[in-house]
Every structure is written in structure tokens, then in C-alpha cells.
Amino acid sequence: MNAVCTVSQYTHSLKFKRFVTYTEKLQNNSLLQPHRDIIKDFKCVTFFNCFFYKGFALSQQDSHINDGDENDVRGNWTNKREYILSMIGYAVGLGNVWRFPYLTYKNGGAAFLIPYFIMLVVAGIPLFFLESSFGQFCSQGPIYAWRAVPILQGVGFSMLVVNSLVSIYYNVIIAYSLFYMFASFQSPLPWSSCLSWVDTNCNITTTGTCNITSLPAANSTRENDTCSPSTTTVIPTQSPSEQYWDQVVLQRSSGLDETGSIVWRLALCLLLAMSILAAAVIKGIKSSGKVVYFTATFPYVVILILVIRGVTLEGAADGIQFYIGSQSNFSKLAEAEVWKDAATQTFYSLSIGWGGVMTLASYNKFHNNIFLDSFVVTLANAGTSVFAGFAIFSILGHMAYVYGKNIGEVAEDGFGLVFIVYPDALSKLPIAPLWSVLFFFMLFTLGLDSQFAGIEVITTCLIDGFPKILQSRRTLITLVTCVVIFLLGLPCVTQAGIYWVTLMDQFVASWVLLVIVLVEIIGISYIYGGNRFIEDIEMMIGNKSFSFWLWWRACWFFITPCLIAVVLVWSLATFVPPSYGTVEFPAWGLALGWCMAVFCIVWIPIVAVYKLIRAEGNALQRLQSVCRPSEEWHPYLEIHRGERYSEEHSPIPKKPLYTLHLDISFSLMEQINHC
């Protein structure tokens, strides 16, 4: 008799317990009862003999798969809470704190909420639902999910490149937060007054020169007849917090041309941030899913504390009135710029087009209710933005009261708000170090959550691309990814580092994302087919009525792509070369910025051309073949494929997951026992 057991190469990505399962089935086969003893000792005889069996046994410690996971190759979230918290942590980032409140104030206060929530409904939620469903259906990252439309697989590569570049400088911003948090463990706060590290331009109050007497007139007042406001020239000065940011934290050089040396304290903070990040994601979603129980909820506790403390301060009411109260200007709704800002903020705040939404959703169980999850995450993100504005503007109102200024004179966005204005405001509060530590630790956790997904996108794309080699080496891949991102981030902690951060932020995380998202929604809605995609979603969440899908069809086919196209054209038409304050970037710096932007999106045409070249037939046949889903496009597990994706109903025959042949042979008995 012969005993030949051949397991095809497609089985190599499966867990060893699947071999055990099939072995048990063989034992129960009546035709093979005479050879039960041989089959019982069967472990695995593959094309590569015993190598993979031993590999599977050794990889159990590094597989990051739980016994209860539905997908025993890629793994799943331990529970729904971890997914929701991870997704909220990813969507809710620094922009919710430093950009949304300022945009609301600038665009009419409460009036801005009207276009913002309209854009959320017609663009934000539909796009978030689309990306989440796309990733969950195929259980793949942003590159291999595009097996649905092979000609657009470059969109996945573009998402990966954008995500990688953003992860480099985003980690530097986390390092800034750590620097300020450690600096806050002293009283008084180092930026509360002009100390030894400042230069002559540091001044808490305004300094002016009287044109009549040509003598300095510090704090010139309107009551001074000899030096009236019309005859006073204000001398530019910097507040202690601004000087601390420039002179101590950044040690900022004169421009991008002057790189200077590495700021070693920032480099150490960058190393610490990356070390914490690596420890949190070392086991992928299994470890980061536990960390988010704290990092995704702690910011809400701090924001609540800051709101309660802020509203009790003098001048807080004025700040809130300017933010979302009686000072709201509803006439702003007639300005097109307000609607453009609302649409832009919606796209960016939900992190759509970065690949993270698709990646995190790919670890869901197949029948997870992704429709409900999309509403929970998007509404939580919008609510957080509005809520954070109360914490910001209540304290800015108090700051304006202390300085005797208007809110508009102290309100800023971006780095200026969280690293200059708000620290200055916190230094005016009783027990200032406590509030400062809480605020910057909150910024640290906000950034950390977003970075979890950023690292996961990179590792998932690598492992999905080379599962046989990398699936059992996730820990090593994660560590290597973190080390590379740390090294690439070192230029951003030089004395010219803030210029690099600004350049990357303005060119990478801007209109480039709109291009990616526009191609994405056109590809799914028109090439893959919106109706086919709806059928895929119904395989996961159950059948819905025609009226249920009417709104989503309207958004995916018409409203959302048209809106994205308008915002994209407008953004390019009104594009202004970036600068940092009054410092302009050199021509070579701007050229490098455009190169980064092109590098992000050039993968779309490159991969499309490559797919067309590799296809067979004439030009039309090639185009048709790369616009059809590939044979690998289907739910990851065979049990979920149903009739629509079964081999019998597929126009293209699928490769079998395994081929098991038995030819009982005593000549191979020794090899089986050896295994």
C-alpha cells in the first residue's frame, strides 16, 4: 500500500490546527479505516516535507491569534469595544483640538456648525461607511483590498505612502507634547515669564515707540497726550511662551536652508514616543486593542476637567460667546469659503483616504454591523470636536480678559494654539503645572491613538503581501517599522525641523488626500459597481430595503464625488505656498514639497499601466480584464463566500485552498513518522 500526503502551497498560510482538523476527518473515513494508525500519526508531508509543520509549531508564540478568532490566519478584534475605541482614537486626533475650534470661531461660531454637519452627512459618513465596509468585506489592507478593481490598486499604494509620510512627522508632534509635559513638572512654568533663556525681544506687555519724542514708551496708553495711539509705533515683541517654543523647544534656525544640529532633548522625546508606540502595537491589534481602553477615553476626562475649570474663570463667558454663542455670525453662511472649510475639515478629521479606516475594519468579524459602527465613530468624532472647543475658548477667554485684549487677538490654530497660546493661558491659572501636565498628556494620548493605526497600516500591507514569510514575524516587522520611522523622523528634530514638519503637513496631508478619495469612490461606485458593492455589504449586515439604500446610492454615485471634485479644484486654485509664520520656504523646498505630493499619487497611474501591460489580449480586452475583480477578490474565509463567490458561480475558477491526496504507501511510512 502507498501513503502519499501532499498539501498544496496554499495551505502554508493556515494554522496547524487546520491540519489536525482534516486529519481527524480522515480518521473517521470508513474507506481508510484499515490505515487509521498511519493517518493518526500523520502530521504533515508537504512539497517541502516537514519544514512548514515545524514552522507552524514555532510560530504559535508570534502569531497573535486567539483561539476564539473567526479568522485564524489574520486574527480579529478581541471584542467590538476594542474596535470602536481604536477607530474613535484614530479619527479623533490633534486636529479636533487645534483646528476645529479655531475654524468654528473664524467662520461665524455656531453658524459654522450648520455647513459642518451637512458635510458630515453628505460626505463624511458615506465615505467612512464605504471604506469600512470595503476593508471588512475582504479582510485585507488598503493595497490588496483593491483586487476588486485591479487597475486602481495604485490607490492602495498611495494610501500607504501618505500614511507613512504622515506617521514620520506626526510622531514628532507627539514628541513636542512629551517635551512640554515633562517641562510642566516645575513651578512656575518655564514659559510663564521672561527667564534667562530669552532674548531682548521677550516682553509680557506691548512695547512701543512714540513718534513725537522718539523715546521708548513701554505700555503706551490712550490717556497719554504726548504719545497717543496715532503717534505710537508698536515694536514687535514675543511673549515668553512664544520664545520658549522657538528658543528652547525647537531652537529654531532662520530657515529651511539652515539645518543646524539635532535638538537632543527633542530626539530623546521622539525615541521615547516611538518606544511607547512600539510596545503598544508589538502584537498588532491584540495589544493596541487593550491600550485604547485608556488612551481613547482619557482625553475625554481631561477635556471635561478643562471645561469645568475653564467656565469658572473670569472672561470665560466671553470666549464661549465668540466660539458658539451670541457672537455667532450667521451671515457667514453666504460665504463660499465657510462651506469649503467645513468640507475640508470633515474629510481630514475622519482620517479618510489614509488607509487606517480600511485596515482597522479588516480585522472585524465578517458579520459585524459596520453600518452602525460608522455612525457611532463619525458622530463621536464630530461631538468631540465641538466639545473640545469649549475647553479651548473658555480658557482663551480668560487669557483675553487678563491681557485686556479681544478674543481675536489671542485665538490661533495649529502649532500656535497648542504650543504657544494655550500654554500661556494655562500659566495664568492657579496650580498651573497640574493643568499643563493634564493638557499635554492629553495631546500625547490623542497622537498615540492615531499612530497606532498608522503603524498597523504599514505592517498589515507588508504581511498581506508576503503572508508566508511575514505572518509569523509580526513582532519583528513592527519593530523594524518603528525603527525606520524613528530614523526618518530625526531630520524633523533638527533646528530646522519645524520647517520640515510644516512642509510635509501642507503638501502631503492636504489636497493629495482629496485626489485619493475621489479616485477611490469613482472606482468603487462606477468601475466595481455601486450595486454590486451594496450586495457585498448585505452579505455582511443582511438584506435591506431599496429605500434604505436610496440615500447611500445618491451619495456614492453623485453627491459625494461631485463635492470632493469641487473642493479639490477649489483647493488647487486657491493654493498658497506654505510658510512658517513670516519665514518663507526657499524655491528648492517648495519643489521638494511638490515632489512629495506627486510621489504620493503617482502610484495610481503607474500601477494602472503595469496592470494593463501584464494583462492578455488586445487593448480593449486588457482594459476589461483589469477593471473586473481578480480571482482573489472575495471574503477571506470560504465559509462566508456563499453562492456569489463560490467556485461554481465564479466566472474565473478559484485556486483551491488545499489539495489532499492519499496514496497509502509503506515506503513513505518512515518519512511520516519522522515528521
Side-chain angles (χ1 to χ4, degrees), residues 511-524:
W511 57 267
V512 169
L513 292 173
L514 297 176
V515 174
I516 293 174
V517 173
L518 180 61
V519 177
E520 175 186 49
I521 195 170
I522 291 175
I524 295 177

Side-chain angles (χ1 to χ4, degrees), residues 136-149:
Q136 180 174 305
F137 179 77
C138 62
S139 299
Q140 293 286 293
I143 292 180
Y144 292 94
W146 283 99
R147 288 168 174 164
V149 190

